[in-house]
Amino acid sequence: MKYLSKLQQVLETGNFAVTAEIGPPKHASAEGVRHHAHMMKDYVDATNITDCQTAIVRISSIATGVHVMDCGIEPIVQMTCRDRNRIAMQADMLGAYSLGMRNLLCLSGDHQKFGNHPTSKNVYDVDSMQLIYLVKRMRDEKKFFSGEEIKEHEPQFFIGAVANPFADPFEFRVDRLEKKVEAGAQFIQTQCIFDMERFERFMEMVRERGLHERTHILAGVTPLKSWRGAKYMQSNVSGMIVPEEIVQRLKSAEDPKKEGVDLCIEQINYIKDNIKGVHGVHVMAIAWEEIIPEIVQRCGLYPRPKFED
Amino acid sequence: MIVAQQKPLQEIADMVSDCKKVLLVGCAGCVTVCLSGGEKETEVMSSALRIKRRLEENPLTTVTFTATRQCDPEYIAEMDEMVKDVDAIISLACGVGVQYVAERYSDKWVVPALNTNFIGGSTVHGIWEEKCGLCGDCVLHKTGGICPIIRCSKSILNGPCGGSQYGKCEISKDTDCAWALIYERMKTLGKLNKLMEIQPPKDWSTSRDGGPRRATREDVIIG
């Protein structure tokens, strides 16, 4: 079988995948990105490149992808619907594919109100659901979003999407995941899991509908550095649930950073060993990329599978 | 209706700072209902401007008129005589009214006293909310009578996004998530299965993106 990307190969050959996240900088040097990429390259199968996350201007995800690839990691290009209309999105997709990028993650994007340009205008010409469907149609039916034929060299992305089991209405979250799978999402990365009980309930519903057999679900985790960080997410980030015992555990820890890493490792091990239908883990070490090797190693997920090109 | 709110008085005063006599024109349409540009507000603004200028020792003369509708040339024509000796016209209508006035009196300085906010209605006395995104291709039959185009901060057609929590939008705890409302309404109606249909990309050419729009009814055109 020919795989669209290495990530797809890892997942479809039955491995428990590991993806991480690299956040591009708010300046024009990729030195930091390259440093992080070199450090984590043997420990992850692919890494997300965020697309101006929290609506803050940064090096674009595709340009950063070039640096990341150059360092030997397969990028997962994040594409939000916030900043580009369907013309610009497709232009960027053609460009990303021409540069060798093979994974595309389709998402709505944080509202611009949260970023450093709150007076800007958002686009949302298409939404994330439509984007998934349109990228699939580009690949499978060789059509631009308008329906016009792509005569040759259509981009063939391995298509990803996100799911947030912690947003509301809870019972509609699995419905919406099903819609994304119907639209063409081949892998799903979830929002950071802190409320394990709720995630388990979510996965139970996913399994009841057999969605775990139609898409690859990667559980999102985030190592916390301090109780303040946990508290901030608990009260200020819409769509996140951080149980109070996690805040307290970090607060009472002698070494909060070590405690945060330990907690993250416990979560990964728990998910890996106990929650059926999860095919990998997505580690979002926000502004803490250097911790990835330790986490992957201590979870027994190192070395990563290698394939012939 | 169109909902508009008054600009700060200083901003309006600055627009006519070099004038000696101005005409303030109210509108008896939407802006009367939303208490920003009706006859009463026009009189109050007229007095406020006069007092301000008197205190600045630069007196201003004002005259007032309230049109039945400023978005209709025949009602504007009623003030043809009044505009003759004024240096400027301050319109307390929505942006449509201001433009009709400016078009009719092409040699007059016409300025807006209001900011035109949205089309919507009041929820309780004194509070108005936006309800329609004027997209030109209504989808309310698919969304339980709640407009996602304007009431969702991302205008998404396949919501709710991951930022919806406790029924609120990620942008503010004071903003209802339109898709949470849609979900609840469809649930009540027993039509949740309708939300499983993937809504295709919207044709925005019927919205503001196609240039100024025009509606035509051949059957009522005279002549």
Side-chain angles (χ1 to χ4, degrees), chain A residues 254-272:
Chain A
E254 240 171 72
D255 182 348
K257 281 169 94 171
K258 186 185 168 298
E259 198 67 28
V261 174
D262 288 350
L263 174 67
C264 183
I265 290 164
E266 283 167 31
Q267 288 169 328
I268 296 174
N269 285 332
Y270 184 85
I271 291 164
K272 187 159 56 86

Side-chain angles (χ1 to χ4, degrees), chain A residues 86 109 111 113-114 122 124-125 127 130 164 166-169 171-173 175-176 179 235 238-241, chain B residues 153-154 156-166 170-171 173 183 187 195-197 199-200 202 204:
Chain A
R86 59 190 88 174
H111 195 271
K113 187 185 167 173
F114 301 106
N122 66 31
Y124 295 108
D125 182 12
D127 66 25
Q130 295 158 352
N164 186 0
F166 311 103
D168 291 319
E171 59 277 22
F172 192 66
R173 288 295 142 188
D175 290 330
R176 192 151 186 266
K179 274 180 89 167
S235 26
S238 192
M240 292 273 267
I241 297 178
Chain B
S153 65
K154 300 176 184 175
I156 64 178
L157 288 164
N158 294 280
C161 78
S164 173
Q165 200 169 29
Y166 313 121
E170 69 180 29
I171 63 161
K173 289 187 169 67
Y183 175 82
K187 194 172 159 185
L195 295 185
M196 291 308 286
E197 293 165 19
Q199 294 306 323
K202 200 164 167 61
W204 294 109

Side-chain angles (χ1 to χ4, degrees), chain A residues 21-275:
Chain A
E21 194 162 286
I22 289 182
K26 286 171 73 178
H27 52 63
S29 164
E31 217 170 288
V33 165
R34 296 181 76 99
H35 171 68
H36 288 140
H38 277 299
M39 216 168 40
M40 64 169 82
K41 91 173 210 264
D42 293 328
Y43 297 86
V44 299
D45 303 312
T47 181
N48 287 33
I49 316 289
T50 50
D51 178 14
C52 296
Q53 76 271 26
T54 62
I56 288 171
V57 174
R58 298 162 185 280
I59 297 185
S60 77
S61 54
I62 294 166
T64 306
V66 175
H67 293 290
V68 167
M69 278 173 68
D70 194 38
C71 298
I73 304 193
E74 183 173 278
I76 299 167
V77 175
Q78 294 197 184
M79 182 167 282
T80 73
C81 301
R82 181 191 58 226
D83 306 325
R84 279 163 287 196
N85 69 6
R86 59 190 88 174
I87 300 169
M89 280 177 148
Q90 291 175 93
D92 278 353
M93 275 178 222
L94 298 180
Y97 197 83
S98 78
L99 288 162
M101 291 164 215
R102 295 295 179 260
N103 306 298
L104 192 81
L105 188 83
C106 308
L107 57 176
S108 303
D110 299 313
H111 195 271
Q112 73 275 11
K113 187 185 167 173
F114 301 106
N116 59 356
H117 290 73
T119 58
S120 70
K121 185 173 187 292
N122 66 31
V123 181
Y124 295 108
D125 182 12
V126 297
D127 66 25
S128 60
M129 194 73 67
Q130 295 158 352
L131 181 60
I132 297 163
Y133 162 75
L134 292 166
V135 178
K136 179 181 193 289
R137 198 174 69 155
M138 260 182 145
R139 181 189 68 203
D140 298 348
E141 297 175 33
K142 303 184 186 196
K143 281 179 179 166
F144 287 109
F145 289 8
S146 62
E148 188 197 337
E149 181 197 0
I150 305 174
K151 292 216 168 72
E152 53 183 345
H153 304 301
E154 74 285 357
Q156 300 187 350
F157 286 109
F158 183 47
I159 303 167
V162 296
N164 186 0
F166 311 103
D168 291 319
F170 177 63
E171 59 277 22
F172 192 66
R173 288 295 142 188
V174 182
D175 290 330
R176 192 151 186 266
L177 171 62
E178 186 173 336
K179 274 180 89 167
K180 287 189 174 180
V181 174
E182 283 289 327
Q186 296 165 287
F187 71 99
I188 299 288
Q189 292 172 326
T190 76
Q191 174 65 291
C192 319
I193 301 160
F194 294 109
D195 184 345
M196 196 59 77
E197 190 262 337
R198 176 144 159 163
F199 181 61
E200 288 197 272
R201 274 194 287 144
F202 176 82
M203 284 306 298
E204 212 177 288
M205 286 155 77
V206 165
R207 288 192 303 271
E208 273 168 21
R209 297 199 201 177
L211 295 176
H212 63 302
E213 285 161 357
R214 297 173 60 199
T215 193
H216 299 286
I217 295 173
L218 279 71
V221 291
T222 287
L224 296 163
K225 271 182 176 169
S226 71
W227 73 268
R228 280 191 183 81
K231 194 83 201 165
Y232 179 82
M233 282 199 239
Q234 185 187 54
S235 26
N236 294 310
V237 183
S238 192
M240 292 273 267
I241 297 178
V242 183
E244 186 56 28
E245 57 260 33
I246 287 184
V247 180
Q248 290 310 322
R249 179 169 160 185
L250 289 166
K251 208 169 184 175
S252 56
E254 240 171 72
D255 182 348
K257 281 169 94 171
K258 186 185 168 298
E259 198 67 28
V261 174
D262 288 350
L263 174 67
C264 183
I265 290 164
E266 283 167 31
Q267 288 169 328
I268 296 174
N269 285 332
Y270 184 85
I271 291 164
K272 187 159 56 86
D273 300 336
N274 298 291
I275 306 184

Side-chain angles (χ1 to χ4, degrees), chain B residues 67-149:
Chain B
T68 305
R69 282 200 301 276
Q70 278 190 45
C71 56
D72 221 330
E74 65 176 281
Y75 295 116
I76 300 173
E78 292 173 20
M79 59 187 198
D80 282 357
E81 285 304 311
M82 297 180 82
V83 305
K84 281 186 178 153
D85 66 339
V86 300
D87 305 316
I89 305 168
I90 299 174
S91 166
L92 283 86
C94 69
V96 180
V98 180
Q99 292 183 62
Y100 269 88
V101 173
E103 202 173 300
R104 182 160 187 97
Y105 308 111
S106 54
D107 60 338
K108 290 289 173 193
W109 180 235
V110 179
V111 300
L114 308 186
N115 291 319
T116 308
N117 302 114
F118 49 79
I119 67 167
S122 67
T123 45
V124 292
H125 195 70
I127 296 178
W128 293 268
E129 279 184 4
E130 186 164 25
K131 297 288 183 194
C132 170
L134 299 167
C135 73
D137 184 15
C138 193
V139 296
L140 287 170
H141 57 297
K142 293 177 173 174
T143 56
I146 293 152
C147 175
I149 305 298

